[in-house]
């Protein structure tokens, strides 16, 4: 960076224009209004100049020659012509060549109507084909994975999908095979194309070669309408275009948001639409694929449909009655709500019911107040940080698009990654240092890092070399370091990671933190006060609010009489039996969009709108508040949460003063200064990061291959600008203060029992495809749920005389399960890793999580061969 | 009459039955060039090569000395030797690989010394199983003999040569595709800029790529001096060069002759060389430098065998392969087969090359087999123009590498020289030679 | 568990060690996998992927770029007949037709007895012996239909097994020797040479 010239001047079609040094000609020209046609070029991948569609004339030592605009970097004084006869002939030639072997099946092609090849042919093609030979033939579409079909005849060899696979997702599950005009995209001979990110290849394919099974033949582009929104399947907050045909959701496409997702999505976010539309035949309230359409009340042990009036009446009676006794009522759930929904319910629980017991997490996250007290990093900052330290689960499984953004940091910018390696992780191969940390040990490792000796770590797998290398990378104050903190192991007391986080935050005062909580809008719910000691607008009050576990215990003991469940509980908690007993003992009001086993215990069920059916704002892991937009109308008589909370308050004889989402957003912004209405008013905006100053980021032009000209689009939301940040950090209302490390109690030590030499310590980790509503309700995804397996290090396998595939009895203090074992050296010695939710070879649910002993900070299990 | 006084520089020992053995090699001056080079400063060795003005023998004809001087003296750098020879009717490197592998290895070691690289990758076409074995044997023997490995012949220079077998892909002859193959990838030529592997070569490090025959010249140059080499030939084309002569001649084969001093007529007709056409036949056309080169008619026979001399006439000396067509040759069939080759060997990256080659091949096939239409002629020329706009030589290109613009060479050549023959195919509804 | 035989696995590891990056050993490793199985089998692909640190899709895609790698089983003898320009002029196409009828299989397929796979090849760089034929990558320099038929009967009778190995065997000469000087010693040598060179350049000025 010695030659710091901030701009160069080039001439395009006789007009001179300024461009950034090193900028690609295709982009500079486009900004100046000279659109150069293209196929292979993708703004988020390295240019390869293969399709040759973007040839333009560039003046050089040998006169004007044809050069690919997508590959050439601008240089001062460059003279370019994009519209000469010669350019036109070259481009028409390429188009004609592309069509030579291209089948004439546009009428039955998914891409028909939104195909850049079709569009350009209509615009420039001669209309008359000169190609009378037999076209190239391949077997028509082959299923290359659970979600994707490949029609090789339609492929134009732009290598967008294969490059995505190698360069962006890094899993190279598809690659070019063959040569010349027999070149084809091909999967592995043995493994299916099941990348977590496979849907992106479909989106960026310029033609109909790659199609998504869930979308195939479901709509024609001209019937589609779209809005821009935010995906809330996990907490990364990817920007999306949500499309529907009539009142049916048809497709979700990634929008290129500079600060967040760069246009990418994970397959779970992209393909969960079926769960939202619901299985229309299913009326079984206990099934997660059922969308709740009407309020239900329990009469003579049966849930029966009723009117909103009587359901609200019953619910109000239950909750108010319980609220009469001190600590008699509380609420659990809420991470799936919008900020407005969470704010309304918080007002209802604290204001109307007078209870401080509300918790948006199911004891599988981290203390909300502790997270609020940390200096925060944005996703972009983490993706550019000098050193990233992960103390979290496998990000590829938990927050997939964050994984993509981070991966780029280590591959392209060669920055360092330090892993607290709890189990296998998608980033493992990129780690500079990978410290094999056992459950119950992370805080000790953190402490060891703050000292110059590793004496705290007797018996640990972590070596002094690893500690030293990490210390060197972190430096004295952690300048340029981003810690990504989440919950790697739900079988481990949250206190372990919380203590580690506190130790690191206190020592490395220049470092910043990016929370890696995974559940949709959990950060927004916490910001809206949906947790013990939390208040709207990131306020902190040292109250005695109960966590989920504590509420369940109080319900079992009878101290708490009733519970308001926002979403289903049983699918989410570790201790299913304990939770069932608690619900059995209590009065239960459920507000949910989907059915589920929890409803077996419900006294009243109030049907709610879910994502893509409601308006509002949500907050992602970095604290970015963005708008969500309703694309379709919720089924039956389901209402939005703001409406349900308000009406329930009215039924209780009080008013929340929140007549609509917009009003709610207004109240949030006015009372606690949290960006809500300002974001909602400008839905085209990339949102605001709470607590940061505003800066506008220009949004790139949308990739025309991924967003071809869809007719009749409601483009509200497809905006020109990205990213705006509010002026000030949120102001706390009178009594609450801002959470700081010194006032927050979480992370001040944890009791971990001694490791038993004959046992393995249990790690229960999350997988992307779990048994949540999204997967259960989406037939396309349900086959992707992990097979239940216990992963063990090869030392332990050898020690126990086991081999991959052996079925063993895994005994914990709570239960014994039969599980096949498999080798995984990513699992630290002395530990055993299972998935939170998985299926056996018959596809039956195996809740490996029931191995967890909730009474202990760690669970130790023994293995025996059958 | 051919001028045949020049010494044989690269084929001196190949007439011996056991020319490929270490014993014969040593008995015929083997490693003398290397021993001499090791007494010189590396840059002086490079200077001799520069003075020799040895043009690369792989096809592009870039001066080896200049290429070497581009190699920044970077901490990591490589010499890669191109033994992929797959240009149709080019079989000179094949001969050297099988008949004088030790001589090539000696040239490589000297070059590596001059360049001060410690690692050489020797890429040999996979189909040359015998050549590969002999080269590997020569490398093994060189290690045994102290000519390779640590501290060569007691000097302070160490070198390792890895023999890397190709696996059947013409395009890997292109130096950038070759580097990709050497990195274990599909042989996709790299897009330019950067234009030279010397800037961004193997693993992104500075790399020199040279042809086998180029290497084989080095020992002689070191022993006899660059000046002696430059005294042979004329103009920019110095020294001798191997010409692979094939097609309808009496004595097809590889001949080492002095450049420029001899003409195509000498090469084809001299009794010591090609020996003329097969009895009773007359020459119809010939390809002067590999199938990528535009064709020449008999009027070009007196063109001297020199790079610029051929270039000025609108073709190229290329890989040094000359293919002779006679009155029995159907030019439609010949250019169809050449196009078929390109269609099969196109790497598949660039649309015009990938689709254009296949399309043209199918039209030519149709024409040869009775389905030709008059409008096909203009169509063919227009498709060629879409691959190599303007039709000039050297060609303009719409593709990444020069394979694309090589496709039209035979098609436009055949149509412009033998339009009548194409028309006959159309009128007859098939090949008039059948 | 290794799919490659113990000796081949050892050679494979040696090959990987020859290159600065494991992936560079891709082509030699695929040759090795083909030497064992006669073609590049899915198991071979998996092992090469493991050895080179790539994926099976990547290895398969790479292998399929190169003509010499067969992704489906082939006959004991893979017979290639060149029809490219020099051979075309010498009757290569006709010889290919003849070969097809002698072997009883179409171009690109394998004879019923599993002995022969017939291929049309591009120029084999043996044009002075046109039309040229290769069997398992050994040049047989057979030019006429008659000598071709003689060759086939020799192959059938196993009379050429001494000079034509089974399909897949490329190099019967193994690498012996190599650079034993430690890398840092070489770096040092280079450094010294560079210093000396710079000094000489300085003196020249
Ligand atoms: C399509 C194509 C095929 C080539 N084939 C060969 C080849 O088989 N052997 C070769 O030495 N050079 C070949 N070349 C030229 C090489 O790219 C490169 O210029 C040459 O190896 C450099 O060596 P030299 O300077 O010693 O000639 C080919 C080039 C192209 C574009
Ligand atoms: S011109 Fe042909 S061979 Fe060369 S890079 Fe392009 S597609 Fe490949
Ligand atoms: S070559 Fe530039 S867009 Fe494809």
């Amino acid at each position: 960076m010695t030659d710091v010239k901030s701009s160069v001047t080039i001439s395009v079609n006789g007009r001179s224009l300024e461009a950034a040094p090193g900028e690609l000609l295709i982009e500079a020209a486009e900004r100046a209004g000279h659109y150069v046609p293209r196929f292979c070029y993708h703004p988020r991948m390295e240019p390869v100049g293969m399709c040759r569609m973007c040839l333009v004339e560039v003046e050089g030592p040998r006169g004007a020659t044809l050069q690919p605009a997508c590959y050439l970097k601008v240089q001062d004084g460059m003279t370019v012509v994009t519209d000469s006869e010669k350019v036109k002939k070259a481009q028409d030639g390429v188009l004609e060549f592309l069509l030579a072997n291209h089948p004439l099946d546009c009428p039955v092609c998914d891409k028909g109507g939104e195909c850049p090849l079709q569009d350009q042919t209509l615009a420039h093609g001669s209309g008359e084909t000169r190609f009378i030979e037999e076209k190239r033939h391949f077997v028509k579409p082959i299923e290359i994975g659970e979600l994707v079909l490949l029609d090789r005849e339609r492929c134009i060899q732009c290598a967008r999908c294969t490059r995505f696979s190698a360069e962006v997702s890094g899993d190279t599950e598809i690659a070019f095979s063959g040569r010349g005009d027999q070149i084809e995209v091909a999967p592995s001979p043995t493994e299916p194309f099941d990348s977590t990110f496979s849907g992106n290849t479909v989106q960026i394919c310029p033609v109909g070669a790659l199609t998504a099974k869930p979308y195939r033949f479901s709509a024609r582009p001209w019937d589609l309408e779209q809005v821009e929104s935010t995906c809330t399947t996990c907490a990364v907050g990817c920007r999306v275009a949500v499309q529907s045909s009539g009142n049916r959701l048809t497709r979700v496409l990634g929008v290129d948001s500079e600060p967040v997702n760069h246009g990418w999505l994970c397959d779970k976010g992209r393909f969960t639409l079926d769960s939202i539309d619901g299985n229309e035949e299913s009326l079984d309230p206990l099934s997660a694929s059922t969308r709740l359409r009407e309020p239900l009340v329990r009469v003579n042990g049966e849930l029966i449909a009723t009117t909103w009036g009587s359901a609200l009446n019953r619910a109000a009676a239950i909750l108010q009655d319980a609220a009469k006794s001190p600590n008699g009522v509380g609420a659990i759930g809420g991470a799936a709500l919008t900020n407005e929904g969470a704010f309304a319910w918080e007002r209802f629980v604290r204001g109307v019911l007078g209870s401080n017991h509300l918790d948006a997490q199911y004891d599988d996250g981290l203390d909300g107040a502790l997270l609020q007290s940390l200096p925060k990093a944005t996703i972009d900052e983490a993706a550019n940080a000098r050193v990233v330290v992960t103390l979290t689960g496998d990000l590829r499984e938990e927050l997939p698009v964050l994984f993509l953004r981070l991966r780029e940091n280590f591959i392209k910018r060669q920055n360092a990654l330090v892993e607290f390696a709890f189990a296998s992780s998608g980033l493992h191969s990129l780690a500079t240092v990978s410290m094999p940390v056992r459950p119950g040990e992370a805080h000790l490792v953190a402490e060891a890092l703050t000292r110059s000796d590793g004496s705290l770590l007797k018996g640990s797998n972590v070596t002094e070399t690893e500690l030293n290398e990490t210390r060197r990378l972190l430096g004295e104050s952690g300048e340029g370091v981003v810690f990504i903190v989440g919950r790697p192991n739900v079988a481990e007391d949250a206190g372990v990671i919380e203590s580690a986080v506190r130790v690191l935050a206190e020592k490395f005062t220049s470092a910043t933190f990016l929370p890696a909580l995974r559940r949709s809008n959990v950060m927004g719910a916490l910001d809206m006060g949906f947790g013990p000691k939390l208040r709207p607008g990131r306020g902190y009050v040292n109250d005695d609010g109960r966590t989920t576990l504590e509420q369940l215990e109080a319900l079992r003991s009878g101290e708490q009489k009733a519970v308001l469940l926002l979403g289903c509980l049983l699918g989410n908690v570790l201790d299913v039996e304990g939770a069932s007993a608690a619900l059995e003992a209590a009065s239960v009001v459920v507000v949910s969009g989907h059915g589920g086993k929890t409803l077996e215990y419900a006294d009243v069920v109030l049907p709610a709108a879910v994502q893509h059916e409601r308006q509002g704002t949500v907050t992602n892991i970095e604290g970015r508040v963005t708008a969500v937009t309703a694309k379709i109308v919720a089924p039956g008589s389901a209402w939005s949460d703001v409406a349900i909370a308000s009406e329930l308050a009215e039924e209780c004889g009080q008013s929340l003063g929140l007549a609509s989402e917009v009003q709610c957003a207004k109240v949030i912004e006015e009372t606690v200064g949290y960006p809500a209405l300002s974001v909602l008013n400008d839905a085209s905006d990339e949102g605001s990061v709470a607590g940061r100053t505003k800066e506008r980021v220009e949004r790139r032009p949308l990739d025309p291959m991924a967003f071809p000209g869809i007719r009749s689009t409601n483009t509200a939301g497809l905006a020109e600008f990205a990213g705006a940040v509010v002026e000030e950090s949120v102001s706390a209302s009178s009594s609450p203060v801002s959470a700081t490390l010194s006032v927050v109690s979480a992370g001040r030590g944890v009791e971990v029992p001694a490791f038993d030499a004959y046992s393995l310590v249990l790690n229960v980790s999350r997988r992307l495809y779990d048994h949540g509503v999204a997967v259960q309700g989406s037939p396309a995804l349900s086959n992707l749920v992990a097979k239940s397996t216990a992963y063990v290090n090869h030392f332990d396998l050898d020690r126990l005389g086991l081999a991959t595939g052996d079925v063993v009895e895994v005994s914990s203090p709570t239960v014994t399960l039969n599980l096949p074992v498999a080798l995984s050296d990513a699992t630290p010695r002395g530990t055993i890793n299972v998935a939170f939710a998985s299926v056996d070879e018959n596809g039956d649910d195996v809740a490996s999580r029931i191995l967890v002993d909730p009474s202990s900070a760690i669970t130790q299990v023994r293995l025996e061969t059958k | 009459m051919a001028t045949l006084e020049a010494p044989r520089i690269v084929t001196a020992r190949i007439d011996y039955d056991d020319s490929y053995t270490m014993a014969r090699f040593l008995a015929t001056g083997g490693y003398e060039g290397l021993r001499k080079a090791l007494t010189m400063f590396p840059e002086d060795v490079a200077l001799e090569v520069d003075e020799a003005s040895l043009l690369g023998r792989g096809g592009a004809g870039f001066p080896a000395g200049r290429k070497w001087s581009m190699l920044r003296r970077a901490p990591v750098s490589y010499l890669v030797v191109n033994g992929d020879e797959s240009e149709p009717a080019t079989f000179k490197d094949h001969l050297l690989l099988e008949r004088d592998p030790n001589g090539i290895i000696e040239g490589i070691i000297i070059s590596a010394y001059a360049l001060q690289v410690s690692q050489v990758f020797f890429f040999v076409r996979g189909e040359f199983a015998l050549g590969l074995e002999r080269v590997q044997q020569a490398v093994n023997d060189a290690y045994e003999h102290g000519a390779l490995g640590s501290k060569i012949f007691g000097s302070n220079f160490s070198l390792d040569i890895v023999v890397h077998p190709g696996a059947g892909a013409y395009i890997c002859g292109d130096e950038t595709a070759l580097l990709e193959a050497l990195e274990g990838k599909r042989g996709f030529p790299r897009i330019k800029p950067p234009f030279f592997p010397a800037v961004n070569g193997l693993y992104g490090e500075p790399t020199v790529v040279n042809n086998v025959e180029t290497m084989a010249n080095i020992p002689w140059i070191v022993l006899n001096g660059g000046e002696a080499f430059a005294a042979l030939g004329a103009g920019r084309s110095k020294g001798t060069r191997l010409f692979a002569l094939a097609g309808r001649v009496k004595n097809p084969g590889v001949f080492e002759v002095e450049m420029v001093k001899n003409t195509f007529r000498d090469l084809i007709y001299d009794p010591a060389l090609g020996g003329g056409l097969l009895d009773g036949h007359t020459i119809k056309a010939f390809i002067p430098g590999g199938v990528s080169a535009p064709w020449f008619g008999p009027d070009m026979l007196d063109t001297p065998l020199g790079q610029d001399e051929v270039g000025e006439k609108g073709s190229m000396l290329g890989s040094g392969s000359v293919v002779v067509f006679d009155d029995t040759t159907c030019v439609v069939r010949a250019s169809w087969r050449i196009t078929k080759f390109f269609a099969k060997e196109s790497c598949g990256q660039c649309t015009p090359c990938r689709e254009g080659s296949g399309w043209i091949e199918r039209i030519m096939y149709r024409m040869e087999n009775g389905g030709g239409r008059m409008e096909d002629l203009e169509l063919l020329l227009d498709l060629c123009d879409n691959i190599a706009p303007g039709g000039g030589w050297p060609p303009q290109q719409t593709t990444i590498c020069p394979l694309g613009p090589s496709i039209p060479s035979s098609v436009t050549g055949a149509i412009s020289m033998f339009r009548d023959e194409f028309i006959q195919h159309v009128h007859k509804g098939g090949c008039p030679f059948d | 568990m290794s799919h490659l035989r113990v000796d081949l696995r050892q050679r494979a590891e040696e090959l990987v060690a020859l290159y600065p990056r494991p992936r560079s050993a891709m082509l030699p490793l695929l040759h090795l996998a083909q030497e064992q199985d006669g073609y590049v089998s899915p198991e071979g692909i998996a092992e090469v992927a493991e050895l080179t640190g790539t994926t099976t899709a990547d290895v398969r895609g790479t292998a399929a770029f190169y003509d010499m790698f067969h992704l489906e089983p082939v006959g004991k003898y893979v017979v290639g007949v060149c029809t490219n320009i020099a051979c075309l002029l010498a009757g290569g196409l006709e010889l290919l037709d003849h070969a097809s009828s002698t072997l009883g299989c179409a171009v690109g397929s394998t004879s019923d007895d599993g002995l022969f796979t017939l291929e049309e090849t591009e120029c084999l760089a043996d044009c002075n012996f046109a039309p040229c034929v290769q069997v398992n990558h050994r040049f047989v320099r057979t030019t006429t239909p008659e000598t071709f038929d003689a060759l086939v009967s020799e192959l059938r009778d196993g009379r050429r097994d001494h000079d034509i190995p089974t399909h897949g065997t490329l190099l019967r000469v193994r690498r012996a020797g190599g650079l034993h000087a430690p890398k840092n010693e070489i770096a040092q040598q280079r450094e010294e040479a560079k210093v000396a060179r710079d000094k000489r350049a300085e003196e020249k000025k």
Side-chain angles (χ1 to χ4, degrees), chain B residues 54-64 67 80-87 90 92-93 125 170-178 189 192 208-215 292 319 342 401-404 406:
Chain B
L54 168 66
L55 301 182
R57 301 299 197 230
F62 194 83
K67 192 185 278 188
V80 171
V81 180
N82 188 343
D84 191 51
E85 188 174 68
S86 315
E87 176 91 1
T90 308
K92 62 183 184 79
D93 294 346
R125 181 174 174 183
Y170 163 66
I171 194 62
C172 290
D174 171 84
E175 57 193 9
T176 60
L178 182 142
K192 288 108 202 145
V208 160
V209 182
N210 270 134
N211 168 261
V212 160
E213 185 191 340
T214 311
M215 289 290 105
S292 304
S319 59
F342 286 124
C401 91
L403 189 149
S406 300

Side-chain angles (χ1 to χ4, degrees), chain A residues 51 89 101 130 133-134 180, chain B residues 346 351 355 362 382 385-386:
Chain A
C51 74
K89 180 158 195 301
N101 273 307
R130 301 195 286 176
E133 324 300 325
E134 175 81 7
Chain B
S346 163
T351 307
E355 304 295 338
R362 278 175 271 189
D382 192 50
D385 189 64
N386 284 344

Side-chain angles (χ1 to χ4, degrees), chain A residues 336-383:
Chain A
L337 303 172
T338 57
N339 291 340
E340 289 68 25
F343 183 81
W345 281 119
E346 195 270 348
R347 267 202 173 179
F348 176 81
V349 176
R350 287 221 172 87
V352 176
L353 299 180
S355 165
N356 271 332
H357 308 311
L358 73 182
D359 187 6
Q361 303 191 65
Y362 300 102
D363 287 296
D364 56 0
L366 296 172
D367 184 81
L370 177 68
L371 293 179
Q372 307 284 36
S373 74
L374 299 170
K376 295 288 190 340
T378 61
I379 292 175
D380 241 3
E381 285 161 1

Side-chain angles (χ1 to χ4, degrees), chain A residues 444-529:
Chain A
L444 302 179
V445 175
E447 257 167 47
L449 285 175
T450 65
R451 291 154 208 233
S452 54
D453 71 289
S455 56
L456 281 166
L457 289 170
K458 274 224 158 66
S460 168
N461 299 314
V462 182
T463 65
E464 191 57 32
T465 320
E466 287 158 355
L467 288 173
N468 279 335
E469 181 59 11
T470 307
R471 286 184 194 116
R472 190 185 66 74
L473 286 166
L474 294 179
E476 260 314 297
S477 65
E479 185 72 49
V481 177
V482 172
F483 289 99
I484 301 186
V485 297
R487 187 77 184 278
N489 174 8
V490 286
E492 173 191 70
D493 191 301
V496 174
I497 298 293
E498 286 163 1
S499 301
V501 168
R502 173 179 286 279
V503 167
L504 295 168
E506 283 171 354
K507 158 79 182 173
F508 300 105
T509 47
S510 302
T512 50
F513 290 76
L514 181 63
L517 298 191
R518 56 190 277 285
R519 199 170 282 117
S520 50
N521 190 34
V522 62
M523 299 308 292
L526 297 178
D527 284 357
M528 292 302 108

Side-chain angles (χ1 to χ4, degrees), chain A residues 68-89:
Chain A
C70 73
Y71 185 80
L72 224 56
K73 294 189 173 127
V74 294
Q75 273 172 5
D76 211 17
M78 196 179 238
T79 305
V80 182
V81 178
T82 70
D83 57 2
S84 64
E85 270 310 306
K86 189 168 161 194
V87 168
K88 192 172 154 21
K89 180 158 195 301

